[in-house]
Amino acid sequence: MARPSVADARREQIIEATLRTIAEHGISSTTLDRIADTAGMSRGHVRHFVGNRDRLLLDTARAFYSADGDSPAIIPSSVETLEEALDYLFGDEFAASSEENAVVLGLVELSRSSPEIAEVLTAAYSSARARIAEWIQLAKSEADPTLRESAADTVLAAAIGNVFMGDFNQDAARTARTRISIDALLATL
């Protein structure tokens, strides 16, 4: 039986170190030297296993948004219904102010100057929007298609806005209020 590649293990280690570095220092201070320090290896080893910083950041974005090993996404593949999606998007894990938020903010900032990273983010968030739209269609098949599509955009925007507001506004009731608003919107369809 073949042994796992050391290169694959090192790449994973470096990507994890990159995520921690972005979370701790922001995207502009995420240098190969800092990543190497966090990974516990030399800068030369980092470059050997992952190439330059731009390539590493692109690989990191792909890994971050493809946690299930599938296409880029923000909603786990285990979520299968509208109610499950709402519970996830307005639940403690997604809505919590966390290191993941810092990574997302860093990648959003980077997407402004990196078309490849912008493509990864676009794919992840478009996938979420499309899945939400499908679930709304299943739950509210009698509703106007244009309103269903608009509701899918609103659900996603509300969830993302709620998360980012949590980074600077620690109002514990905000997520519950946002969920109530989304439930009220969906009830009108």
Side-chain angles (χ1 to χ4, degrees):
M1 178 154 69
R3 290 177 27 178
S5 165
V6 171
D8 290 343
R10 291 292 182 255
R11 285 181 57 75
E12 187 174 317
Q13 178 184 358
I14 293 165
I15 286 173
E16 287 300 318
T18 304
L19 291 168
R20 286 193 310 275
T21 304
I22 294 169
E24 291 176 21
H25 302 285
I27 198 70
S28 62
S29 295
T30 298
T31 63
L32 286 179
D33 289 329
R34 267 211 172 113
I35 295 166
D37 287 345
T38 302
M41 58 181 71
S42 72
R43 183 176 194 258
H45 279 106
V46 169
R47 286 187 56 85
H48 171 76
F49 289 111
V50 298
N52 65 25
R53 180 180 181 267
D54 291 342
R55 179 63 194 197
L56 171 57
L57 292 173
L58 177 58
D59 290 347
T60 299
R62 287 178 176 148
F64 180 78
Y65 282 104
S66 299
D68 288 343
D70 297 329
S71 300
I74 64 166
I75 299 175
S77 60
S78 60
V79 173
E80 297 179 347
T81 67
L82 179 59
E83 192 64 27
E84 288 176 3
L86 296 176
D87 288 345
Y88 175 75
L89 292 169
F90 299 101
D92 293 338
E93 180 184 351
F94 190 80
S97 181
S98 66
E99 288 185 0
E100 283 190 7
N101 291 7
V103 171
V104 170
L105 284 172
L107 294 173
V108 167
E109 180 182 338
L110 191 57
S111 73
R112 293 180 180 140
S113 59
S114 170
E116 295 88 359
I117 290 179
E119 286 177 22
V120 172
L121 271 66
T122 298
Y125 290 93
S126 294
S127 165
R129 190 217 160 278
R131 290 178 72 197
I132 293 166
E134 288 173 18
W135 292 319
I136 291 173
Q137 181 178 1
L138 289 171
K140 305 286 186 171
S141 59
E142 71 287 351
D144 179 291
T146 303
L147 293 177
R148 290 192 313 245
E149 292 295 319
S150 178
D153 289 329
T154 303
V155 168
L156 185 58
I160 294 168
N162 182 57
V163 170
F164 288 122
M165 286 194 61
D167 285 339
F168 58 85
N169 176 352
Q170 300 300 315
D171 179 359
R174 183 190 59 260
T175 299
R177 286 192 313 267
T178 307
R179 172 66 188 265
I180 289 167
S181 297
I182 291 300
D183 287 343
L185 167 74
L186 294 172
T188 66
L189 295 180

